[in-house]
Amino acid sequence: MRRRQRQHHLQSGFALIALLALLLAGALYFAVAAFGPQAIEAERARKTQEALAQARDALIGYALQYRDQQAAMDPPVVDAMYGHLPLPDMGESVNRNGALGLPCATEGCAKMNNSGTTSTGTYIGRFPWRTLGIEPLRDGYGECLWYVVSATHKSIENPGTLNWDTVGQLDIVVADGADSLKSVIASPHARPIAIIVAPGSPLPGQARTPSIEAPQCGGNYGPANYLDASVTASLRDYAGAVTTSSSYFDGSAATDTSTAALAISAQGNTYKDTNGKLWDGACPAGNSCAVVANDRALAVTPDQFFGTLRKDASFRTDINSLLERIVSCLRDEIAAGGGPTGNSKIADDAGGCFSGLAVVPVGYYTNYKNQMFVARSATTVNGATCSGALLFANQRSSTQSRVTPAEQSDPAQYLEEPNLTSFTTGTNTFAGDILFNTLNSGQVPQQDIVRCIPSTPSIVTTPSPLLPPDQQLANYDPGTRVLTLGKPGVTTNDGYSGATLFGCAWTPEANAQGNGFRAYFTFQFNKVGTTVGNTGFTFAAIDADSNSGLPCGASGSHLGYSGDNGVAPPIAFPKIGIEFDQSRNAGFSESSGNPGREDPCGTSGCGGSAGFNSHAAIVYWGHETANAVDGVTLPNNDDNVHGFPATGSETSSVPPPQNPNNLGAASPGIAFVDMRSKASQGGNSYLYHVRVEVTPSSPGDTLANVRVAVDSNVALTAPGTSLDGVTLATGNRVLLARQSARNEGGIYVWQGATTPMVRSGDADQPVELTNAVVRVSEGSYANRNWWQSNTIGVVDTDAQNWQLLPVAARKFTTQAWIEPDPGITPPPPLIQAMQDTTRPMAQRYPGYAPRLSDTAMLHDIIGASCGAGCPSGQTCGVDNRCHRPPLQSVRLGFTASQWTQDEQVAIQNFFATWLQ
């Protein structure tokens, strides 16, 4: 019995095993059906294409960041251009280039050539994933990707200029049933700048023996073990460094980069039949074939890269700044009696204004000058009469080629109609956008950018009609591009009244981009007689819509920035200035004799310790109207009085920004700067470099919305059931903007009709309330913003000053860097960073704090009634008046004055980048 039972159990076990076997067999059948050879190959192909696309995107990202990252190096590479690509990873035995210029001694890093000597050749190696900040990328067979970079686009030892016309030295070839592979590149301009290769499975003869150099990717660094170099003679022998020897470039001359191209097979499996014919993808029916290549590759083309780069705002700013600078130089040359003649491509300026690396942004002129043309005499640009025109040819059209020297000398390969005919015939009537812009703005890639070269110099002066021409206090020499403020002998010898001694200089045209600017200039007070003087000058940004002429302020301590001189229009608000004041005028007075400025004390005689009273400060415009609180009856006279207007002195309207007086604070708006005579400078002051950034922004909602805002007193202990006609619910936030006790003002939480309100938790600390903005959801002020303008030190003690913002108010952050010249050639990185106005200082030189800094709210300018409609760019406010934003159209300039001493300051190298 037991034996039968045991036998029964054994039979049952075999049956179970048989059943499992059947199930497994079925599962295997379905697995093979679902994941057969074709499905597996499709999945491998998908993984390969995904890895290649990720690698391409990483390369383009590197090229898009290359210029800015190199400029941030120590020392900076200021002329590095967008479009450079990293070298490949060529193994431990090869010297390292490093990730973005930093040492990198491990697998996945870009390397220099294996000999350490200069080479202008194309490079082949593994994909430098570590340099690009990503993980290793593998194809569908688990192999890490390889990479070929054109000699014309590599980041090290690049042999020439780099722009969208630079031709790559790579070629893509495919099989089409012939004895050799066929190129798919129709034009030299379509040649790739880089090719990423997925090597696939090893072919006969490829030994992928592991090496200690590649612990993560595995295998070794022998290109012939991965890349299929033996299909035909067209696929040249790969080496770690492919030189310009003609044996690597399909027999073409090595010096002719227009035809020299290293061929890469990119289509996957390539078959060779018994007749030596090459076939792509599959062997023809009835033939016997062998797989001779299985690489899959993805190319990065110039048009692909620059189509992406064009979307980058920094790149567009660079191009537009380049054109702005060259126009500025050309108009000065022409005003000085020189400049180019006739119509031709641009030529280097012998004076150095835009020769070589002299023009900011550094590097762009040398790389893009081939796209620039100059036309002279009887020129019309977009309907305006000009002394010349600068034409920037933009990218190529489909019918243009810019490869050979003959093509690069032919305007037809650059300019479009009707500009081409007008340029070549001398008709000189041109039209086009003045800004290089994105394609989605309506600008096509080949559209010419056309700039008028005005007949006036880049700086025009506001003369004092009370002085003879040879005694003016503002003089600009376009030949030397030097602006001189002040005049020796005017007070000491000629005896002119102090009230006549003012002078201003301005950019002739207003800039209407309205998004701020970055400016740079140098200045030095010159010794005149025995001193450098006692007054100073101001660098000013003024609202062009409010100042249609050539304004200028009064003399003496007004510095030409404030006051009314009685003959020239005064400088109307809104305006922002950086004053450079040589002396101290304390105790504000409105008298026309010698009013004070509330200047800081820096000498021992008044209790200071700096050793001098000269200072720099950010200034706005003081009071707009007469004011009893401050005792101001002549508001024009206090525009650069530090600390004015006093807090709360103009409560009936949104107040003007307060001129900073926070000397010694963490972000000062005023600081001592030694501008006195120096024996080491021959009695002159130090030469100073100045960088100014003015950046506007929307007021924003710095605090969470309130439901209502109340402009009358509310009992905090029993606020009632409704405020401003809105029935409240527990937890509603309310703004009390006009409490009788101003220290009670602020944002509260309503908790019941007879329950005391408490301050909201996000608005009960000084840092939360200073310069805060809050938006109202309902009631009389629905969808309006209120701004708290007072500096709060202690909540519940200090008065809060909530002001209803006009519809177009904007914040402006003003920063200035002021640095004495170190007398070093080339200048140190911080000076180079100051000169590069196309990038913010925070990016160009992180950690280099501004000498002056202040953020202020500038309210909009209120115009006529909305009844007839508001002009373009203006908005109708709740007051039924038209409002326009402040400083949406800007002119830059310098204002100066003298009083009882002669003075002269030389200002040079002035240039501004306007932000789009």
Side-chain angles (χ1 to χ4, degrees):
M1 177 70 83
R2 291 177 183 172
R3 289 183 63 185
R4 287 196 188 102
Q5 289 177 344
R6 186 168 181 267
Q7 187 177 8
H8 174 74
H9 287 305
L10 288 174
Q11 289 173 342
S12 299
F14 288 137
L16 180 59
I17 291 173
L19 178 60
L20 290 174
L22 286 172
L23 292 174
L24 180 60
L28 288 174
Y29 172 80
F30 287 112
V32 170
F35 299 102
Q38 291 183 342
I40 291 173
E41 283 303 313
E43 177 63 13
R44 285 173 173 168
R46 185 195 66 79
K47 289 182 178 179
T48 296
Q49 289 304 117
E50 185 178 88
L52 290 172
Q54 290 180 29
R56 176 198 59 200
D57 293 346
L59 283 178
I60 292 177
Y62 177 96
L64 288 173
Q65 299 175 49
Y66 185 78
R67 175 177 174 84
D68 291 331
Q69 288 174 330
Q70 292 298 303
M73 292 295 172
D74 188 13
V77 183
V78 295
D79 60 340
M81 293 304 298
Y82 292 114
H84 285 297
L85 295 168
L87 297 182
D89 171 11
M90 292 183 287
E92 295 291 336
S93 61
V94 182
N95 294 331
R96 309 281 179 176
N97 170 37
L100 304 177
L102 298 175
C104 183
T106 54
E107 177 189 10
C109 293
K111 316 295 195 302
M112 292 174 64
N113 66 79
N114 56 358
S115 65
T117 59
T118 300
S119 170
T120 58
T122 293
Y123 282 85
I124 300 173
R126 291 194 178 217
F127 190 74
W129 48 270
R130 194 183 302 272
T131 291
L132 300 176
I134 60 177
E135 294 297 314
L137 296 174
R138 300 177 186 270
D139 65 13
Y141 289 87
E143 296 287 356
C144 282
L145 302 182
W146 283 66
Y147 164 61
V148 187
V149 60
S150 173
T152 52
H153 289 78
K154 64 184 182 180
S155 58
I156 301 295
E157 299 163 357
N158 189 282
T161 59
L162 183 58
N163 55 53
W164 45 55
D165 294 332
T166 303
V167 175
Q169 290 182 310
L170 304 176
D171 194 6
I172 296 290
V173 290
V174 298
D176 66 347
D179 294 334
S180 60
L181 299 180
K182 177 183 178 181
S183 174
V184 298
I185 304 300
S187 161
H189 285 297
R191 287 202 172 126
I193 63 179
I195 298 176
I196 309 138
V197 184
S201 60
L203 296 178
Q206 291 183 328
R208 301 181 180 179
T209 308
S211 165
I212 60 172
E213 294 181 285
Q216 289 188 253
C217 280
N220 54 68
Y221 282 87
N225 293 323
Y226 292 85
L227 306 182
D228 306 327
S230 59
V231 178
T232 69
S234 295
L235 292 180
R236 299 303 171 187
D237 184 23
Y238 292 94
V242 179
T243 68
T244 52
S245 168
S246 62
S247 64
Y248 293 105
F249 296 112
D250 298 339
S252 303
T255 56
D256 184 1
T257 59
S258 67
T259 58
L262 181 66
I264 302 293
S265 176
Q267 300 302 312
N269 285 357
T270 298
Y271 296 86
K272 180 182 283 189
D273 65 20
T274 54
N275 296 318
K277 304 297 183 182
L278 295 169
W279 304 93
D280 176 32
C283 183
N287 284 359
S288 177
C289 296
V291 177
V292 292
N294 64 354
D295 293 343
R296 285 194 177 273
L298 186 64
V300 179
T301 65
D303 286 345
Q304 183 182 45
F305 170 71
F306 280 98
T308 302
L309 179 58
R310 191 173 184 132
K311 300 174 184 177
D312 184 75
S314 294
F315 178 69
R316 299 196 306 273
T317 294
D318 287 341
I319 294 292
N320 288 317
S321 291
L322 171 69
L323 302 180
E324 186 85 17
R325 178 60 176 262
I326 292 178
V327 166
S328 177
C329 294
L330 290 173
R331 68 190 297 179
D332 281 337
E333 288 184 357
I334 294 170
T341 59
N343 292 2
S344 64
K345 275 200 169 184
I346 198 168
D348 289 357
D349 171 29
C353 188
F354 55 88
S355 177
L357 298 179
V359 58
V360 174
V362 175
Y364 271 88
Y365 175 72
T366 54
N367 284 278
Y368 283 88
K369 66 180 180 180
N370 219 32
Q371 280 81 19
M372 284 183 273
F373 296 77
V374 179
R376 278 297 310 275
S377 73
T379 303
T380 302
V381 175
N382 294 324
T385 301
C386 310
S387 64
L390 176 69
L391 294 90
F392 183 70
N394 220 319
Q395 296 176 246
R396 302 175 314 282
S397 70
S398 59
T399 60
Q400 292 173 330
S401 180
R402 304 171 183 175
V403 178
T404 67
E407 290 172 341
Q408 292 174 358
S409 299
D410 182 6
Q413 301 301 328
Y414 291 87
L415 301 178
E416 308 303 314
E417 294 293 0
N419 293 329
L420 173 61
T421 298
S422 187
F423 181 86
T424 54
T425 62
T427 308
N428 285 6
T429 299
F430 304 105
D433 289 352
I434 64 171
L435 292 176
F436 175 76
N437 217 325
T438 58
L439 301 182
N440 60 14
S441 68
Q443 191 174 101
V444 295
Q446 68 269 22
Q447 181 175 332
D448 299 333
I449 308 300
V450 184
R451 294 280 185 115
C452 171
I453 303 175
S455 58
T456 57
S458 61
I459 295 290
V460 295
T461 59
T462 303
S464 170
L466 306 177
L467 294 174
D470 62 343
Q471 298 294 334
Q472 293 296 318
L473 266 66
N475 293 279
Y476 182 64
D477 182 350
T480 61
R481 295 178 59 84
V482 175
L483 171 65
T484 303
L485 301 176
K487 186 74 174 178
V490 175
T491 61
T492 54
N493 299 330
D494 301 320
Y496 288 101
S497 165
T500 68
L501 303 180
F502 59 86
C504 295
W506 304 100
T507 54
E509 297 85 28
N511 190 288
Q513 294 185 51
N515 288 317
F517 63 88
R518 305 184 191 111
Y520 165 81
F521 60 91
T522 63
F523 77 88
Q524 184 174 36
F525 283 94
N526 297 325
K527 178 182 177 181
V528 179
T530 60
T531 180
V532 292
N534 273 325
T535 49
F537 73 97
T538 298
F539 169 70
I542 62 175
D543 188 280
D545 295 316
S546 300
N547 294 277
S548 57
L550 291 175
C552 199
S555 59
S557 59
H558 289 284
L559 303 184
Y561 180 78
S562 64
D564 187 347
N565 59 53
V567 287
I571 305 175
F573 63 84
K575 57 184 178 179
I576 301 174
I578 308 291
E579 72 165 26
F580 299 89
D581 195 348
Q582 286 275 31
S583 59
R584 179 173 189 255
N585 300 99
F588 175 66
S589 167
E590 293 186 306
S591 69
S592 59
N594 189 15
R597 298 286 105 183
E598 304 286 12
D599 293 328
C601 169
T603 58
S604 58
C606 55
S609 59
F612 49 87
N613 284 319
S614 60
H615 59 275
I618 298 173
V619 290
Y620 299 103
W621 61 88
H623 294 83
E624 295 179 7
T625 58
N627 187 277
V629 175
D630 288 340
V632 171
T633 60
L634 302 172
N636 276 339
N637 284 10
D638 72 335
D639 285 6
N640 53 344
V641 177
H642 308 304
F644 268 34
T647 297
S649 61
E650 294 198 9
T651 57
S652 60
S653 64
V654 176
Q658 185 183 69
N659 291 331
N661 63 349
N662 55 336
L663 187 62
S667 279
I670 186 170
F672 291 114
V673 177
D674 189 357
M675 295 175 283
R676 307 307 298 157
S677 299
K678 299 297 170 188
S680 62
Q681 308 300 315
N684 301 324
S685 75
Y686 290 125
L687 172 67
Y688 280 100
H689 299 261
V690 180
R691 163 70 172 258
V692 178
E693 295 184 5
V694 173
T695 309
S697 62
S698 170
D701 301 332
T702 59
L703 298 173
N705 284 11
V706 296
R707 189 173 181 191
V708 294
V710 185
D711 58 6
S712 59
N713 191 67
V714 173
L716 296 179
T717 56
T721 58
S722 65
L723 293 174
D724 193 30
V726 176
T727 301
L728 300 175
T730 301
N732 284 169
R733 293 157 52 82
V734 299
L735 169 63
L736 305 183
R738 292 289 180 268
Q739 290 297 97
S740 300
R742 300 295 292 277
N743 62 312
E744 290 184 356
I747 298 174
Y748 288 82
V749 177
W750 188 91
Q751 301 180 104
T754 59
T755 303
M757 292 195 297
V758 296
R759 290 192 182 274
S760 175
D762 67 342
D764 60 356
Q765 299 296 321
V767 68
E768 298 166 337
L769 289 166
T770 301
N771 223 19
V773 176
V774 67
R775 192 169 183 83
V776 182
S777 300
E778 300 179 36
S780 303
Y781 298 106
N783 301 317
R784 296 296 303 277
N785 287 326
W786 286 75
W787 166 50
Q788 201 293 119
S789 61
N790 283 4
T791 298
I792 305 299
V794 180
V795 178
D796 293 325
T797 299
D798 295 339
Q800 295 190 25
N801 188 31
W802 289 91
Q803 300 288 338
L804 181 64
L805 286 178
V807 292
R810 296 196 293 173
K811 286 182 181 177
F812 284 80
T813 297
T814 301
Q815 297 174 302
W817 291 259
I818 307 167
E819 195 71 28
D821 185 78
I824 299 174
T825 302
L830 65 89
I831 299 297
Q832 294 183 43
M834 293 173 70
Q835 295 169 338
D836 182 6
T837 56
T838 64
R839 297 293 183 275
M841 284 295 293
Q843 177 181 337
R844 282 291 284 110
Y845 206 92
Y848 180 26
R851 193 73 177 271
L852 304 175
S853 179
D854 190 59
T855 297
M857 190 77 72
L858 273 60
H859 59 77
D860 46 3
I861 295 89
I862 302 175
S865 168
C866 304
C870 294
S872 175
Q874 299 188 24
T875 305
C876 186
V878 294
D879 56 359
N880 200 36
R881 303 279 294 275
C882 294
H883 293 239
R884 65 175 173 85
L887 297 179
Q888 66 177 351
S889 181
V890 177
R891 294 178 73 182
L892 303 180
F894 299 87
T895 73
S897 65
Q898 292 179 202
W899 192 256
T900 60
Q901 286 184 315
D902 291 333
E903 175 176 283
Q904 187 177 66
V905 58
I907 298 172
Q908 302 183 63
N909 304 312
F910 168 61
F911 180 68
T913 291
W914 298 95
L915 306 183
Q916 290 181 262

